[in-house]
Amino acid sequence: MSLLRSVATISGLTMTSRITGLIRDVLIASAFGAGPLTDAFWVAFRIPNLLRRLFAEGAFSQAFVPILGQTRAEGTLEIVRGLLDKVALVLTAVLMIVTLLGIVAAPWVVTAMASGMRAASKQTEFQAAIDMTRLMFPYIICMSLVAFASAVLNTWNRFAVPAFTPVLLNVSVIGACLFMTAWFHVPIYALAVGVMIGGILQLLVQWTALAQLGLLPRYSFNLRKAWADPTVKYIMRQMLPAILGVSVAQVSLLINTNIATWLVSGSVTWLSFADRLMEFPTSLLGVALGTVLLPSLSAAHAKGDSASYNILLNWGLRLVVLLGVPAAIGMAMLASGLVATLFNYGAFNAYDVSQTKLAVTAYSVGLLGLLSVKILAPGFYAKQDIRTPVKIAIFVLVLTQVFNVIFVPIYAHAGLALSIGLGATVNALCLLVMLYRRKIYQPGPGWGKFALRIIPAVVAFSAVLFVAQSRLDWITLGAHAWARAAWLGGVLLAAGTVYFVVLFLCGFRLHDFTRKAA
């Protein structure tokens, strides 16, 4: 299968996940608005998500996938199965301990995430955040084991199931929002229960897929033996710098959430919804490319094929530029239309739209950087070099806080988004420079011609959006919700069509981006 087809498969299924995620957030916005209890839910939901990224999708995948790929290439199926059994046992044991500690320490965890909620005037939302944190903390067990399954499935080029399963979380929360709120004295608690149901469903589906491959872990009670295994120890050693690297990003998120809780009520929710919109391009392109590239880069590294390694990185970066530049411009120029069409219902009013729009526009500044990091960081991970991205991430963390000091007093919550975007851009530039200096990546020929051919398409794309934005009042169109959605869809379709037609006229063809898997 070509890498482009793999990316398209993941992007298509991820699109389904993001659409259901938007429906989820629209329902939450309509039902609960951008008030104190909604802020409490988003704070509580970020806590297990933070740990999921720390232990699962981030550190674990970065450390595990290259080693699993090497073990598969060099060992027998039984050796691979033995490794999976031991890693699953150690991972589960660690997660159970972390979850128990998290439930007990929920008040302190919420304080660390949202110290602004400790104010006397915010005790109701503080207690709600504690309760929902305790309800959702076991989610980390489900999602870390889901990440384990995803790593195995992706290594075996089974990309579809891991890309699809996030839909189950969104459907569960949607169901809870529609049908379970009446069961709770505090209705928003239903969302926390929906999150847990979604986590369990994702785990069941992915482990069923592992069973079909004959790779379902066989649990034992011999934890000491599993922990003593040299390969497991090596994975754990690799996870330490990976955890540090991922924790840098999560510490940045923690700091930003903390700062947001000191701003006006609704700030956490505005940032959460803006982040939801930014997840569309970052997941559809950045995560999809990173997911496909890491196993392919690991395979190329295991074979000592440096030429294919360089070609893979070059291919990924060109796709990022080709699709990321119009995505960033579209997010900035059409922020009002996107936010109003998706969230301006019920309790989510015009003021909430304007504040969320500011955050979306600020995020868009760093979209190309956010996407590029997803391509460049695997260039190090596949070589089992996790320390270099960690050092860069620590530097970016410090720099992001400098940006916060500058921009938050001026732009409030939008300043937080702008700082993240600028930090991501610096991160991407540093990764690129280090890859180039170490001769891991050398830009392929034709980048200048490539850029010159894109410019006319970007100009035409921007012109369509400028005309549309100057003539449409997205708030007023809210009186006819379906008409507003139709206008937004029409504008996006027109701009996208113009972009790709001009690209075609400038000489781009689909086969220019077809790349067989390494």
Side-chain angles (χ1 to χ4, degrees):
M1 177 184 288
S2 72
L3 291 182
L4 186 61
R5 184 179 300 175
S6 298
V7 170
T9 298
I10 295 174
S11 294
L13 292 170
T14 302
M15 173 66 83
T16 304
S17 170
R18 294 301 172 240
I19 289 173
T20 55
L22 278 172
I23 294 171
R24 177 195 77 186
D25 290 351
V26 166
L27 288 172
I28 293 173
S30 179
F32 302 105
L37 288 178
T38 316
D39 281 357
F41 168 74
W42 290 117
V43 166
F45 188 41
R46 282 186 182 184
I47 292 169
N49 261 336
L50 184 153
L51 292 172
R52 169 178 61 83
R53 290 168 182 166
L54 190 63
F55 288 105
E57 295 176 355
F60 179 74
S61 296
Q62 293 164 15
F64 184 51
V65 170
I67 295 169
L68 178 61
Q70 183 177 349
T71 303
R72 184 191 181 195
E74 298 175 356
T76 64
L77 179 60
E78 192 55 37
I79 291 175
V80 171
R81 292 189 66 189
L83 175 63
L84 296 180
D85 295 343
K86 294 166 187 171
V87 171
L89 178 60
V90 171
L91 183 64
T92 303
V94 172
L95 292 170
M96 291 177 70
I97 295 170
V98 170
T99 299
L100 180 61
L101 292 174
I103 291 172
V104 173
W108 295 278
V109 175
V110 172
T111 299
M113 280 289 293
S115 59
M117 287 186 174
R118 291 305 303 264
S121 60
K122 297 185 176 182
Q123 285 304 295
T124 299
E125 59 205 88
F126 178 64
Q127 187 57 50
I130 293 172
D131 294 341
M132 287 188 281
T133 296
R134 284 175 168 153
L135 282 170
M136 289 189 284
F137 221 98
Y139 180 73
I140 183 184
I141 298 178
C142 297
M143 295 314 298
S144 296
L145 294 177
V146 164
F148 168 87
S150 296
V152 178
L153 293 170
N154 289 335
T155 301
W156 265 255
N157 294 325
R158 303 296 199 275
F159 298 112
V161 172
F164 167 76
T165 48
V167 172
L168 300 174
L169 170 67
N170 297 327
V171 171
S172 297
V173 177
I174 288 169
C177 189
L178 291 175
F179 306 114
M180 293 176 60
T181 54
W183 300 358
F184 295 87
H185 177 66
V186 181
I188 203 167
Y189 285 14
L191 302 181
V193 175
V195 168
M196 278 308 308
I197 294 172
I200 293 168
L201 290 176
Q202 289 182 79
L203 181 59
L204 289 173
V205 168
Q206 292 225 30
W207 280 53
T208 299
L210 283 185
Q212 291 173 347
L213 284 176
L215 297 173
L216 189 68
R218 300 160 295 186
Y219 279 96
S220 70
F221 292 99
N222 200 339
L223 180 60
R224 180 176 297 178
K225 180 180 178 181
W227 190 267
D229 183 83
T231 306
V232 173
K233 282 186 173 181
Y234 182 64
I235 292 171
M236 294 301 119
R237 285 198 301 271
Q238 287 292 90
M239 279 188 69
L240 290 176
I243 287 173
L244 179 59
V246 177
S247 67
V248 169
Q250 300 313 310
V251 167
S252 182
L253 176 64
L254 172 64
I255 292 171
N256 281 6
T257 302
N258 240 317
I259 294 172
T261 61
W262 287 98
L263 302 175
V264 299
S265 291
S267 295
V268 176
T269 301
W270 299 327
L271 283 169
S272 295
F273 286 162
D275 186 61
R276 164 60 60 183
L277 283 175
M278 293 304 294
E279 282 182 2
F280 257 87
T282 54
S283 297
L284 294 181
L285 182 58
V287 174
L289 278 170
T291 299
V292 170
L293 280 177
L294 183 54
S296 297
L297 288 169
S298 298
H301 175 63
K303 296 174 184 176
D305 189 353
S306 58
S308 290
Y309 203 95
N310 193 75
I311 289 171
L312 284 164
L313 288 173
N314 203 63
W315 173 82
L317 287 172
R318 288 201 178 194
L319 271 182
V320 162
V321 172
L322 184 74
L323 300 177
V325 170
I329 293 172
M331 295 297 291
M333 297 186 69
L334 210 56
S336 292
L338 290 167
V339 175
T341 302
L342 295 170
F343 302 120
N344 183 211
Y345 308 99
F348 201 87
N349 56 36
Y351 178 71
D352 294 323
V353 170
S354 66
Q355 296 304 305
T356 306
K357 169 208 165 181
L358 292 174
V360 172
T361 304
Y363 268 134
S364 69
V365 172
L367 179 58
L368 201 60
L370 288 166
L371 293 172
S372 298
V373 168
K374 303 292 185 182
I375 309 303
L376 297 169
F380 291 99
Y381 301 147
K383 290 182 174 291
Q384 300 180 26
D385 177 7
I386 297 175
R387 287 171 175 79
T388 299
V390 168
K391 293 175 183 177
I392 294 172
I394 293 172
F395 166 70
V396 170
L397 171 63
V398 175
L399 185 62
T400 301
Q401 304 322 309
V402 174
F403 289 148
N404 278 338
V405 171
I406 297 170
F407 296 120
V408 172
I410 303 171
Y411 302 115
H413 67 286
L416 295 169
L418 180 60
S419 297
I420 289 175
L422 292 174
T425 302
V426 173
N427 194 350
L429 289 173
C430 290
L431 289 169
L432 181 61
V433 169
M434 292 304 295
L435 285 169
Y436 180 78
R437 285 184 176 176
R438 296 182 183 183
K439 301 187 184 303
I440 298 172
Y441 169 65
Q442 299 295 308
W447 268 100
K449 182 180 177 182
F450 174 83
L452 288 174
R453 291 160 74 189
I454 286 179
I455 291 173
V458 170
V459 171
F461 176 83
S462 302
V464 174
L465 294 184
F466 177 79
V467 171
Q469 187 63 25
S470 63
R471 298 190 177 184
L472 293 171
D473 184 339
W474 296 103
I475 300 297
T476 302
L477 284 172
H480 306 283
W482 287 108
R484 181 168 62 182
W487 272 109
L488 178 64
V491 170
L492 291 172
L493 179 61
T497 300
V498 166
Y499 182 70
F500 286 107
V501 167
V502 175
L503 283 178
F504 185 84
L505 294 175
C506 290
F508 280 105
R509 298 295 183 269
L510 183 62
H511 62 74
D512 294 335
F513 296 93
T514 301
R515 160 74 196 168
K516 294 295 182 183

